[in-house]
Amino acid sequence: QVSPEQVILSHSPLQLFNQFHQKCMLVAGQGPVEENAQNLGFKHVVTIEALRKAYPLLDMVDQSRRPKELPPPTTGFPTIEGVILFGEPVRWETSLQLIIDVLLSNGNLGAELQDIPYPHLPVLACNMDLLWMAEAKMPRFGHGTFLLCLENIYKKVTGRELKYEALIGKPSTVTYRYAEYLIKEQAEKQGWKSPIRRLYAVGDNPMSDVYGANLYNHYLKSAHQNQIQAGVKRSLQAASPQSEDHLKLRKDCDNSVESCESILVCTGVYRHNTDVPSKTKECKRETVFHGHRDFCFDPSLVEASYIVQDVNDAVQLAFKKENWS
């Protein structure tokens, strides 16, 4: 049985962003976004629907929802200090309009627009998948498509790039690091004595699942190499090779994860030999790159360590690699 703390959603790492937990944050997406934000530690949350009701003149695309008469001025509504984008909303035109309004007004929608503020308010976005696979034969729009719209509208209106305080969810390394933290926490609860050396990331999307796992693998190898170099440097500088600092560093190195293996399954978005762009010698953007704007395309990062049929095969592969079967 899987416990709640073993499940990582795209927004789970937002628990670590406590510098925003006391700020008034606009949350966008669908489902219980207000409850989700509060469960993550955010104390002051405003939804798109609450914002629309407070400022009914802002939502003008759907004629049936336009106010029939001029509403009284809005008073007492809090100034918004940041934006959280949980996932794709239902009414894209409303969310796109109001989020842009918040960024252009610096969170004070009741004030008349003077100069456009830049840098704009902090934006934290979760879940960057451009497409996802449902029951239809072709992939459907994901939150990455909504972000693409938001970024391009902001740039078209202001002439400047929309900047993210953080991009959370695959393929962001912060998500994999948070997963590693939870895995180690679970290992301690189970009383495991042997340190975890390898992680296995399973997914059906080369541009998010595989890309993110391989990106984190690069991070782990770089961090591990830096630890080794730091250990050598400290031991040379230390009066005694068994000094307290040296022993602590050795313990940290002994407990560190060394790699993250990517396993691609063929039961979702992935279609063999059709999703991966042609190889290039250098990191660059390609017309078929489905990843987010802020992640440069590197062909090697979308090449999975292993390709299997489904999740069961992926689990069996990991068991075999760890000599558990």
Side-chain angles (χ1 to χ4, degrees):
Q1 186 177 358
V2 179
S3 59
E5 63 269 20
Q6 290 176 275
V7 178
I8 301 176
L9 303 174
S10 62
H11 57 250
S12 297
L14 285 173
Q15 295 178 71
L16 305 177
F17 288 76
N18 52 22
Q19 68 269 36
F20 297 106
H21 288 176
Q22 299 299 327
K23 295 183 180 295
C24 181
M25 305 294 287
L26 174 69
V27 292
Q30 56 182 291
V33 289
E34 185 173 12
E35 181 183 342
N36 289 341
Q38 291 170 345
N39 289 339
L40 292 166
F42 295 92
K43 307 299 182 186
H44 309 287
V45 177
V46 174
T47 65
I48 291 288
E49 186 61 21
L51 192 63
R52 188 188 76 81
K53 288 181 177 179
Y55 296 96
L57 294 178
L58 298 180
D59 188 20
M60 300 295 282
V61 172
D62 186 343
Q63 295 187 26
S64 68
R65 300 215 301 181
R66 292 181 185 178
K68 301 297 185 287
E69 54 188 42
L70 194 64
T74 301
T75 58
F77 199 83
T79 299
I80 293 169
E81 300 173 277
V83 180
I84 302 173
L85 307 175
F86 277 120
E88 61 270 24
V90 175
R91 286 179 171 268
W92 284 35
E93 80 284 356
T94 297
S95 291
L96 288 169
Q97 177 71 77
L98 269 60
I99 293 166
I100 293 291
D101 288 338
V102 165
L103 298 179
L104 296 183
S105 67
N106 216 30
N108 188 359
L109 291 155
E112 290 203 19
L113 182 63
Q114 302 294 329
D115 295 328
I116 296 174
Y118 199 84
H120 53 70
L121 292 173
V123 178
L124 299 95
C126 312
N127 187 2
M128 292 163 276
D129 284 3
L130 186 78
L131 304 169
W132 66 287
M133 203 67 193
E135 287 74 24
K137 300 295 183 183
M138 295 187 295
R140 303 293 84 198
F141 290 161
H143 193 217
T145 308
F146 179 81
L147 297 179
L148 183 65
C149 295
L150 183 67
E151 293 154 11
N152 281 279
I153 293 170
Y154 183 84
K155 186 170 185 179
K156 193 72 173 178
V157 171
T158 68
R160 300 181 181 227
E161 295 285 351
L162 186 138
K163 302 289 186 182
Y164 294 95
E165 184 76 20
L167 286 165
I168 301 160
K170 296 173 293 187
S172 172
T173 53
V174 69
T175 292
Y176 291 82
R177 176 133 194 176
Y178 185 68
E180 179 189 336
Y181 165 76
L182 292 185
I183 288 170
K184 287 182 175 179
E185 194 177 60
Q186 288 295 315
E188 288 181 9
K189 288 181 179 179
Q190 297 297 326
W192 287 15
K193 302 301 181 184
S194 300
I196 295 171
R197 298 293 187 197
R198 288 170 298 278
L199 301 176
Y200 296 89
V202 182
D204 68 352
N205 192 329
M207 297 301 179
S208 59
D209 303 324
V210 173
Y211 186 109
N214 290 341
L215 194 65
Y216 195 58
N217 186 52
H218 284 199
Y219 165 81
L220 288 171
K221 290 187 179 301
S222 176
H224 187 68
Q225 188 61 35
N226 290 341
Q227 280 184 322
I228 293 172
Q229 291 173 353
V232 170
K233 185 177 180 180
R234 283 194 185 184
S235 63
L236 289 173
Q237 292 174 345
S240 166
Q242 295 300 316
S243 67
E244 185 177 339
D245 285 346
H246 180 66
L247 291 172
K248 181 179 184 299
L249 194 68
R250 280 184 58 185
K251 183 180 179 182
D252 289 343
C253 288
D254 288 343
N255 289 326
S256 64
V257 172
E258 295 176 2
S259 66
C260 179
E261 305 284 336
S262 55
I263 306 178
L264 182 61
V265 297
C266 303
T267 49
V269 170
Y270 175 67
R271 292 292 180 269
H272 194 55
N273 293 331
T274 62
D275 285 62
V276 181
S278 59
K279 289 191 176 183
T280 56
K281 292 183 179 179
E282 60 184 42
C283 179
K284 70 174 188 178
R285 304 188 195 286
E286 299 246 350
T287 56
V288 293
F289 177 44
H290 288 180
H292 187 267
R293 176 201 70 183
D294 292 355
F295 290 82
C296 192
F297 174 68
D298 179 348
S300 68
L301 292 180
V302 295
E303 294 179 5
S305 306
Y306 308 96
I307 300 177
V308 298
Q309 182 56 38
D310 54 31
V311 172
N312 182 64
D313 288 348
V315 172
Q316 294 304 319
L317 174 64
F319 280 10
K320 183 178 180 181
K321 298 287 290 182
E322 295 299 317
N323 295 318
W324 289 350
S325 58

